[in-house]
Amino acid sequence: QVHLVESGGGLVQAGGSLRLSCAASASIFSFNAMGWYRQAPGKQRELVARITSGDIRRFADSVKGRFTISRDNAKNTVYLQMNSLEPDDTAVYYCNAVRSFRYSDDINYWGQGTQVTVSS
């Protein structure tokens, strides 16, 4: 069983920064991609940022230029650096890891979520 443990959420003023961490209980090389999703009250969960095993990065349009995603392979940890935070960034942020298979469905793993609140 894979466990993903997020940390780094909190309360910050608009314009501030936070760094989220996601520590995996398995080697991150075992995943085809890792990323961060978020869910605000009354809204659907949405992709924020994603990094593949081939280092291809993808970002939601709303966070491009403000957020970056990186990983430390030795620590089996993925980071989300969030700068210039806005009140609309307020949400629960979830770490995600995906294992893909040629002949069966992807397996998704999720962390428990960490709250990010941006005050105006």
Side-chain angles (χ1 to χ4, degrees), residues 17-117:
S17 298
L18 283 174
R19 188 178 79 157
L20 305 183
S21 300
C22 172
S25 62
S27 170
I28 60 176
F29 289 115
S30 69
F31 304 116
N32 296 86
M34 294 187 71
W36 293 90
Y37 288 71
R38 68 186 180 187
Q39 188 166 19
K43 295 187 177 180
Q44 289 188 332
R45 190 173 296 191
E46 63 174 357
L47 174 69
V48 177
R50 190 170 185 253
I51 182 169
T52 71
S53 57
D55 267 348
I56 297 172
R57 291 166 170 82
R58 176 184 170 189
F59 296 92
D61 288 343
S62 59
V63 307
K64 284 179 181 176
R66 300 188 297 122
F67 291 12
T68 58
I69 188 169
S70 62
R71 63 187 186 197
D72 185 330
N73 297 331
K75 295 182 179 180
N76 292 324
T77 299
V78 173
Y79 303 98
L80 183 69
Q81 178 66 44
M82 306 185 293
N83 299 327
S84 302
L85 282 161
E86 303 169 354
D88 283 349
D89 296 317
T90 296
V92 177
Y93 284 69
Y94 296 92
C95 180
N96 168 263
V98 180
R99 285 177 174 157
S100 299
F101 303 92
R102 180 175 294 183
Y103 300 113
S104 60
D105 294 338
D106 290 351
I107 297 178
N108 280 275
Y109 303 94
W110 295 94
Q112 80 284 359
T114 186
Q115 177 71 45
V116 171
T117 302

